[in-house]
Amino acid sequence: MSNSDLKMASDGDSVDLEVEIEDNAEEKEVAEQNGEVSTSSEPSSKRKPRKLNRQHSKENPSVHTGFIHGPRSWKNSRRSRNGHGRGLPKKGGAGGKGVWGVPGSELLEAYEDVNDPNYDYENLNSGDIELKVVIPKVSMEDLKKKIEPIMLEYFENGDTHEAALSVQDTISLKFRDIFVQIGIEISMDHKPSHREMTSVLISDLFGHVINEIDITKAFESLLVNLPDLILDIPDAPTIVGNFIARAIADDCIPPKFLITAKVKSGEKNFQEAVSRADTLLSMKHGLVRLHNVWGVGGALRPVKYLTRQMTLLLQEFVSSGDIEEASRCLHSLEVPHFHHELVYEAIVMALEANSAVKEEALCKLLKSFDAAVLLTQDQMERGFLRVYEDLPDISMDVPLAYIILDRFVDRCSKQGFLSEVVISKLPSRGRKRYVSEGDQQFLKTYKIS
């Protein structure tokens, strides 16, 4: 059979197939019009949906008018291939090898498998757990451990702003009264200058860090605890009374606090502290004077004031002989760099007195101060050397100054607290003698070479 015969046969078959399809379609339409339903057991043939052209497929290269990508680009492309895509990645970017899902989708998973070894039985979503607010209990010792470093650092730098920031970061609002109470107790163990700094701190923090209620509660607690405080600080009632009076003068608490406090307790120390504050406030110009209730700081005091206080200290010691009281007064002045003035005034007092009893008393005082290290060796030497320098002027008022000083230095050197520098530099005034005519026979002739 020739090729032309095969072609004619195939054309004939295709024509018969088309005629048969058309006949079947006409019969189906007639049956539908007559209401006949086909009950044949043969399943009706499913009509395949029309296959759309893939815009980015290698099967339809005719749609591309430009550059045709290679097979690998088709393989790795995440764009939709159904022809209806918007150019977005498949599965929202969660598709592809080694991808477990959209980033963050693990946080949105609502289903949890109970059989999972990592299943959390205390999960909040299970519904059998109830949360309650728990406020930890803070003891007084824990608060003191937090407050003490703040106060000690403030005593070193004197910066109230830094102290305020530390209190706001460390101490909660409901413990601010404890902060005031412990701060005052710490300052009671320190110098009067530190108590003055504590009063300034309370005044500066008032209004934005602490309030009137906190300060009132603190003073009430201090008044109640006075029997315990007085064991370590004998003058605790006086100090607490000074703090209360100073707080009233600084407008931190109202004056009616004293009126209400008087009727709360009849304890002796309690009433003593309240009476002390009431007395300070009742003085003439009391509110103005309370700004110096703790005195002026050592380095801020004028030199004349310090000299006067040291002179009074020496006079009181000569009359009473109480070394312990003299030591306390010298320590309260807080001027260790100015202690050479005490040595100077003691020596001048001994020269002016010209009394062996006073010389012995003053020598005993200087020895006790040296033994207690209240007077350093440097301050002792400086005081004696100052007297040596001013001795010509002192001798104008005290003619026997050289003789008395020689006797006093000898007495002190026997006590063993003078250095060799002080003893070696002791001045001596040469004696001038006018030779008369009858004394020439007693003079020795010297050959001047």
Side-chain angles (χ1 to χ4, degrees):
M1 185 178 293
S2 63
N3 292 336
S4 61
D5 296 337
L6 291 173
K7 184 176 182 181
M8 292 177 63
S10 63
D11 293 341
D13 294 339
S14 62
V15 171
D16 295 340
L17 181 60
E18 291 178 356
V19 171
E20 184 177 0
I21 291 173
E22 292 178 355
D23 294 341
N24 292 335
E26 291 178 356
E27 291 178 358
K28 187 175 181 179
E29 290 178 358
V30 171
E32 290 178 355
Q33 292 177 359
N34 297 331
E36 297 179 356
V37 180
S38 175
T39 58
S40 67
S41 61
E42 296 180 359
S44 59
S45 61
K46 295 183 179 179
R47 186 176 182 181
K48 296 182 179 180
R50 182 180 180 184
K51 188 175 182 180
L52 300 176
N53 293 330
R54 298 180 179 179
Q55 296 178 358
H56 301 287
S57 176
K58 59 184 180 180
E59 297 177 3
N60 188 19
S62 60
V63 301
H64 298 284
T65 56
F67 176 76
I68 301 177
H69 298 278
R72 183 165 294 278
S73 65
W74 296 113
K75 176 181 178 182
N76 297 332
S77 176
R78 293 190 178 186
R79 299 175 65 87
S80 177
R81 300 183 183 182
N82 58 6
H84 298 286
R86 295 178 297 166
L88 301 176
K90 295 187 301 181
K91 298 181 181 179
K97 185 177 180 181
V99 180
W100 289 2
V102 180
S105 61
E106 68 278 3
L107 303 177
L108 303 177
E109 294 181 359
Y111 173 74
E112 292 183 359
D113 187 5
V114 181
N115 299 322
D116 189 354
N118 296 325
Y119 178 75
D120 186 7
Y121 289 93
E122 296 182 356
N123 191 355
L124 299 179
N125 297 328
S126 60
D128 57 348
I129 297 177
E130 182 180 359
L131 298 180
K132 295 182 179 180
V133 178
V134 178
I135 300 177
K137 295 182 179 180
V138 182
S139 63
M140 194 65 117
E141 293 297 329
D142 296 336
L143 287 174
K144 191 171 183 179
K145 291 179 181 179
K146 294 181 180 179
I147 296 172
E148 188 171 3
I150 299 176
M151 296 300 299
L152 295 180
E153 183 179 358
Y154 170 67
F155 290 159
E156 292 293 333
N157 55 33
D159 189 355
T160 57
H161 178 68
E162 182 67 23
L165 295 178
S166 301
V167 172
Q168 290 176 340
D169 295 340
T170 308
I171 311 300
S172 62
L173 292 175
K174 65 178 183 178
F175 295 127
R176 298 291 169 83
D177 58 327
I178 306 296
F179 165 75
V180 178
Q181 176 185 348
I182 296 179
I184 294 176
E185 291 179 357
I186 294 174
S187 66
M188 293 171 69
D189 293 330
H190 288 71
K191 303 176 182 178
S193 59
H194 293 155
R195 298 167 192 168
E196 171 67 21
M197 294 177 67
T198 304
S199 296
V200 173
L201 179 64
I202 294 174
S203 178
D204 289 350
L205 298 186
F206 175 72
H208 59 281
V209 177
I210 56 178
N211 52 34
E212 178 185 330
I213 298 177
D214 297 332
I215 301 175
T216 303
K217 289 182 178 179
F219 282 130
E220 290 176 351
S221 301
L222 288 170
L223 291 172
V224 172
N225 296 335
L226 277 178
D228 297 332
L229 294 175
I230 204 171
L231 298 177
D232 298 327
I233 308 170
D235 56 345
T238 303
I239 297 176
V240 173
N242 291 350
F243 269 111
I244 295 174
R246 178 62 180 271
I248 294 175
D250 292 337
D251 293 332
C252 296
I253 56 176
K256 69 178 182 180
F257 172 78
L258 296 177
I259 301 174
T260 57
K262 286 181 180 179
V263 298
K264 287 187 176 181
S265 175
E267 201 267 334
K268 177 182 177 181
N269 297 319
F270 190 102
Q271 293 296 328
E272 182 180 351
V274 174
S275 299
R276 170 70 178 177
D278 192 13
T279 302
L280 292 174
L281 293 170
S282 301
M283 292 189 306
K284 186 177 181 180
H285 306 293
L287 295 178
V288 178
R289 293 181 179 180
L290 283 173
H291 289 288
N292 294 327
V293 67
W294 305 114
V296 184
L300 302 177
R301 298 176 182 178
V303 176
K304 291 183 179 180
Y305 173 81
L306 295 174
T307 303
R308 178 61 179 168
Q309 292 297 318
M310 290 181 178
T311 303
L312 293 176
L313 183 154
L314 294 172
Q315 292 175 354
E316 183 179 355
F317 169 75
V318 169
S319 61
S320 64
D322 190 351
I323 296 179
E324 184 178 354
E325 179 66 18
S327 301
R328 188 192 66 80
C329 293
L330 181 62
H331 188 270
S332 64
L333 291 177
E334 301 180 24
V335 281
H337 59 282
F338 199 61
H339 284 176
H340 58 84
E341 180 67 22
L342 178 71
V343 180
Y344 179 87
E345 295 295 335
I347 299 173
V348 171
M349 183 178 292
L351 296 178
E352 293 177 348
N354 192 13
S355 172
V357 177
K358 290 187 177 181
E359 291 177 14
E360 182 67 26
L362 293 172
C363 180
K364 181 180 179 182
L365 178 66
L366 293 179
K367 180 183 177 181
S368 63
F369 283 172
D370 179 74
V373 200
L374 284 176
L375 285 175
T376 61
Q377 195 64 34
D378 176 65
Q379 297 292 321
M380 186 76 73
E381 292 179 1
R382 188 177 299 182
F384 272 91
L385 295 178
R386 283 181 57 196
V387 175
Y388 293 171
E389 294 174 0
D390 297 344
L391 196 57
D393 297 333
I394 297 174
S395 63
M396 297 177 64
D397 298 329
V398 185
L400 301 178
Y402 282 90
I403 300 174
I404 300 173
L405 179 62
D406 188 10
R407 187 174 61 197
F408 185 76
V409 171
D410 182 63
R411 190 188 300 273
C412 293
S413 62
K414 290 181 180 179
Q415 296 292 334
F417 62 88
L418 284 186
S419 63
E420 293 295 332
V421 177
V422 175
I423 298 174
S424 63
K425 291 185 178 182
L426 177 64
S428 60
R429 182 172 63 177
R431 184 179 179 185
K432 295 181 180 180
R433 181 175 179 181
Y434 297 92
V435 182
S436 61
E437 294 179 357
D439 293 336
Q440 292 180 359
Q441 58 181 341
F442 300 105
L443 296 177
K444 294 181 180 180
T445 58
Y446 294 94
K447 184 178 179 180
I448 301 175
S449 57

